[in-house]
Amino acid sequence: QVQLVESGGGLVQAGGSLRLSCAASGRTFSSYAMGWFRQAPGKERELVARISENGGVTSYADSVKGRFTISRDNAKNTVYLQMNSLKPEDTAVYYCAARNSFYGGQWNYWGQGTQVTVSS
């Protein structure tokens, strides 16, 4: 079991930056692949970025590639999402999630979400 708590959301102007954090409880954080998802009003939840258990492999949605960076600190049980060059279309609730493998499977654990609003 792992509990996830996101923080770092807020209101930012287009072109600005935010860093989201997701703190995990439990002693097995390093055994989980982690992901960041987002959901905008009226849209389906989409996977934005994911990172392997040891942080060595990452993957990004095309819409954020080159602007967002996912990272993790297993000593701090935390995963981050650095978001640069933000656009109004990045406005959404952002969620972190965990699953047993980077390469597939169900995202079994979810945080409560943090709102990101980008003004034009």
Side-chain angles (χ1 to χ4, degrees):
Q1 286 276 354
V2 60
Q3 286 79 46
L4 304 173
V5 179
E6 302 96 336
S7 61
L11 174 64
V12 64
Q13 288 189 334
S17 298
L18 281 175
R19 188 176 82 154
L20 305 183
S21 299
C22 173
S25 64
R27 295 176 293 176
T28 59
F29 175 72
S30 60
S31 68
Y32 292 98
M34 301 298 296
W36 282 98
F37 289 74
R38 67 185 181 187
Q39 187 166 22
K43 294 188 176 181
E44 291 188 358
R45 188 173 297 190
E46 66 167 333
L47 176 61
V48 172
R50 57 192 171 110
I51 188 166
S52 63
E53 295 87 325
N54 66 0
V57 185
T58 57
S59 177
Y60 298 91
D62 288 343
S63 57
V64 307
K65 205 170 289 184
R67 300 188 298 122
F68 290 12
T69 302
I70 189 170
S71 62
R72 67 190 296 163
D73 185 338
N74 285 345
K76 295 183 178 179
N77 281 11
T78 303
V79 62
Y80 305 97
L81 185 68
Q82 177 66 44
M83 304 186 295
N84 298 329
S85 302
L86 283 161
K87 305 175 181 179
E89 52 263 44
D90 294 318
T91 295
V93 178
Y94 283 71
Y95 300 89
C96 67
R99 70 182 184 187
N100 291 329
S101 171
F102 177 81
Y103 295 102
Q106 293 271 19
W107 293 95
N108 293 312
Y109 305 104
W110 293 85
Q112 83 289 349
T114 185
Q115 176 71 47
V116 171
T117 303
V118 184
S119 64
S120 56

Coordinates of all heavy atoms in Angstrom, one line a residue, residues 37-46 91-95 115:
F37 N -0.6 12.3 -14.2 CA -1.8 12.4 -15.1 C -2.4 13.8 -14.9 O -2.1 14.5 -13.9 CB -2.9 11.4 -14.7 CG -2.5 10.0 -15.0 CD1 -1.6 9.3 -14.2 CD2 -3.1 9.3 -16.0 CE1 -1.3 8.0 -14.5 CE2 -2.8 8.0 -16.3 CZ -1.9 7.3 -15.5
R38 N -3.2 14.2 -15.9 CA -4.0 15.4 -15.7 C -5.4 15.2 -16.3 O -5.5 14.4 -17.2 CB -3.3 16.6 -16.4 CG -3.2 16.6 -17.9 CD -2.4 17.7 -18.4 NE -2.2 17.8 -19.8 CZ -1.5 18.6 -20.5 NH1 -0.7 19.5 -19.8 NH2 -1.4 18.5 -21.8
Q39 N -6.3 16.0 -15.8 CA -7.7 16.0 -16.4 C -8.2 17.4 -16.4 O -8.4 18.0 -15.3 CB -8.6 15.0 -15.5 CG -9.9 14.8 -16.1 CD -10.7 13.7 -15.5 OE1 -10.4 13.3 -14.4 NE2 -11.6 13.1 -16.2
A40 N -8.5 17.8 -17.6 CA -9.2 19.1 -17.8 C -10.7 19.0 -17.8 O -11.2 17.9 -18.1 CB -8.7 19.8 -19.1
P41 N -11.4 20.0 -17.5 CA -12.9 19.9 -17.5 C -13.4 19.4 -18.8 O -13.0 19.9 -19.9 CB -13.3 21.3 -17.2 CG -12.2 22.0 -16.5 CD -11.0 21.3 -17.1
G42 N -14.3 18.4 -18.8 CA -14.9 17.9 -20.0 C -14.0 17.0 -20.8 O -14.4 16.5 -21.9
K43 N -12.8 16.7 -20.3 CA -11.8 15.8 -21.0 C -11.5 14.6 -20.2 O -11.6 14.6 -19.0 CB -10.6 16.6 -21.4 CG -10.8 17.8 -22.3 CD -9.5 18.4 -22.8 CE -9.7 19.5 -23.8 NZ -8.5 20.1 -24.3
E44 N -11.0 13.6 -20.9 CA -10.5 12.4 -20.3 C -9.2 12.6 -19.6 O -8.4 13.5 -19.9 CB -10.4 11.3 -21.3 CG -11.7 10.8 -21.9 CD -11.5 9.5 -22.7 OE1 -10.4 9.1 -22.9 OE2 -12.6 9.0 -23.2
R45 N -9.0 11.8 -18.5 CA -7.7 11.9 -17.9 C -6.6 11.4 -18.8 O -6.8 10.3 -19.5 CB -7.7 11.0 -16.6 CG -6.5 11.2 -15.7 CD -6.7 10.4 -14.4 NE -7.8 11.0 -13.6 CZ -8.1 10.6 -12.3 NH1 -7.4 9.7 -11.7 NH2 -9.1 11.2 -11.7
E46 N -5.5 12.1 -18.9 CA -4.4 11.6 -19.7 C -3.1 11.5 -19.0 O -2.8 12.3 -18.0 CB -4.2 12.6 -20.9 CG -3.7 14.0 -20.5 CD -3.3 14.8 -21.7 OE1 -2.8 14.3 -22.7 OE2 -3.3 16.1 -21.6
T91 N -3.9 23.8 -18.3 CA -4.8 23.9 -17.2 C -5.6 22.6 -16.9 O -6.2 22.1 -17.9 CB -5.8 25.1 -17.4 OG1 -5.1 26.3 -17.4 CG2 -6.8 25.1 -16.3
A92 N -5.5 22.1 -15.7 CA -6.1 20.8 -15.4 C -5.8 20.5 -13.9 O -5.1 21.2 -13.3 CB -5.5 19.7 -16.2
V93 N -6.5 19.5 -13.5 CA -6.2 18.9 -12.2 C -5.1 17.8 -12.5 O -5.3 17.0 -13.3 CB -7.4 18.3 -11.5 CG1 -6.9 17.6 -10.1 CG2 -8.4 19.3 -11.2
Y94 N -4.0 17.9 -11.7 CA -2.9 17.0 -11.9 C -2.8 16.0 -10.8 O -3.0 16.4 -9.6 CB -1.6 17.8 -12.0 CG -1.3 18.5 -13.3 CD1 -2.1 19.6 -13.7 CD2 -0.4 18.0 -14.2 CE1 -1.9 20.2 -14.9 CE2 -0.2 18.6 -15.5 CZ -1.0 19.7 -15.8 OH -0.8 20.3 -17.0
Y95 N -2.7 14.7 -11.2 CA -2.7 13.6 -10.2 C -1.4 12.8 -10.4 O -0.9 12.6 -11.5 CB -3.8 12.7 -10.5 CG -5.2 13.2 -10.4 CD1 -5.8 13.8 -11.6 CD2 -6.0 13.2 -9.3 CE1 -7.1 14.4 -11.5 CE2 -7.2 13.7 -9.2 CZ -7.8 14.3 -10.4 OH -9.1 14.8 -10.3
Q115 N -4.7 21.4 -8.4 CA -5.2 22.2 -9.6 C -4.0 23.1 -10.1 O -3.3 23.8 -9.3 CB -6.3 23.1 -9.1 CG -6.8 24.1 -10.2 CD -7.6 23.4 -11.3 OE1 -8.4 22.5 -11.1 NE2 -7.2 23.7 -12.6

